[in-house]
Amino acid sequence: MPQHPTAADADATEAGVAQIDPRRAIVERLARGPASVSDLAAPFEVALPTIVQHLKALEAGRLVSSAKIGRVRTYQLVPDAFGPAIEWLHDQRPPAQRQVDRLTALLVESTRNPEGEQQ
């Protein structure tokens, strides 16, 4: 009998994705506010320089910025950095919705019997 995913499965999957794709997890964490490199690295089972490489890539992409006060480097999201991506996704919605509508119509049509009634 097939088993359905549970909340624990979803949490485990999310934790696994965070290990595979730490940049997404870092951005999600920074959405809650600025954080130090060590705070950002805490959830990961990797060396601190690995997280620093991810942070540098995010900074090169202008998604995050950093400031160093004393010996602590703190990162934060760049305001409106995701604006172009959000705009692109918004533009993609109508064509995607049209495809879903066509698929729905096709599925409804395929469930009709020869007399034209739905089964």
Side-chain angles (χ1 to χ4, degrees):
M1 173 177 253
Q3 292 191 355
H4 298 285
T6 64
D9 293 335
D11 290 343
T13 300
E14 190 62 31
V17 169
Q19 293 299 323
I20 294 167
D21 186 12
R23 291 178 193 170
R24 186 176 88 180
I26 289 168
V27 168
E28 287 174 356
R29 167 53 190 88
L30 290 174
R32 296 191 312 258
S36 69
V37 174
S38 57
D39 288 342
L40 293 169
F44 302 101
E45 297 173 4
V46 297
L48 195 63
T50 302
I51 297 300
V52 170
Q53 286 179 335
H54 289 294
L55 288 165
K56 285 182 180 180
L58 290 168
E59 197 165 21
R62 298 187 183 121
L63 299 176
V64 303
S65 63
S66 68
K68 189 170 185 178
I69 300 172
R71 294 174 19 161
V72 177
R73 181 164 295 278
T74 301
Y75 282 82
Q76 59 276 327
L77 289 180
V78 172
D80 300 324
F82 293 94
I86 291 168
E87 189 174 310
W88 180 84
L89 286 169
H90 177 74
D91 292 345
Q92 300 313 303
R93 185 180 180 129
Q97 188 61 51
R98 283 191 296 274
Q99 288 179 334
V100 169
D101 292 345
R102 285 194 304 266
L103 178 59
T104 301
L106 179 65
L107 291 172
V108 167
E109 186 62 33
S110 71
T111 61
R112 295 183 190 274
N113 63 22
E115 290 81 34
E117 299 170 356
Q118 269 195 282
Q119 297 177 347

